Amino acid sequence: NDDLRRGKPTNHKVYGEDVAVLAGDSLLAFAFEYIATATAGVSPSRILAAIGELAKSIGTEGLVAGQVADIACTGNPNVGLDTLEFIHIHKTAALLEASVVLGAILGGGTDEEVEKLRIFARCIGLL
């Protein structure tokens, strides 16, 4: 909810909160559309697995859960380490994990390789 990003006014300040939310919705939908329609040379089962991973990482088990916890803690100077870890695992780490895991799935990684990369990415995201 910052007014500036990299020194420039954010979309909700330039275009209004309603249009900024719709722009976010549009970009989210486009991510799924792009994976489904532009991924060439990958089996449909792997594409479907990647779409499922992306949905999970940004939904109620990922980014949304972390953002809800983050909002609930706003202004609370006594947020505990467990809560901070939950927020970071479900926001930053979830997105990093998704990018690594999607690459591994679409790149043909085995289940074991995907899980090893998942753990690696989650740890880096938490750092």
Side-chain angles (χ1 to χ4, degrees):
N1 208 19
D2 290 338
D3 292 342
L4 299 173
R5 294 264 193 240
R6 293 176 290 286
K8 295 182 181 181
T10 53
N11 281 346
H12 74 281
K13 290 298 179 184
V14 174
Y15 304 105
E17 189 171 331
D18 52 353
V19 173
V21 168
L22 289 171
D25 292 346
S26 177
L27 289 170
L28 182 61
F30 181 67
F32 290 98
E33 176 188 344
Y34 189 81
I35 291 172
T37 62
T39 305
V42 178
S43 71
S45 64
R46 284 192 177 272
I47 294 171
L48 186 58
I51 289 171
E53 280 288 335
L54 179 59
K56 184 177 173 182
S57 72
I58 58 180
T60 57
E61 294 183 38
L63 181 64
V64 170
Q67 187 63 32
V68 167
D70 197 356
I71 290 168
C73 293
T74 300
N76 179 358
N78 299 314
V79 176
L81 184 58
D82 288 347
T83 301
L84 285 174
E85 186 173 298
F86 179 90
I87 290 168
H88 290 296
I89 285 175
H90 288 82
K91 288 176 68 174
T92 307
L95 295 179
L96 183 59
E97 181 181 327
S99 66
V100 170
V101 167
L102 265 65
I105 291 169
L106 295 173
T110 66
D111 289 346
E112 183 180 344
E113 290 167 335
V114 169
E115 290 311 308
K116 285 180 181 180
L117 287 166
R118 179 188 307 283
I119 293 166
F120 163 77
R122 189 178 301 149
C123 290
I124 295 297
L126 185 56
L127 287 173

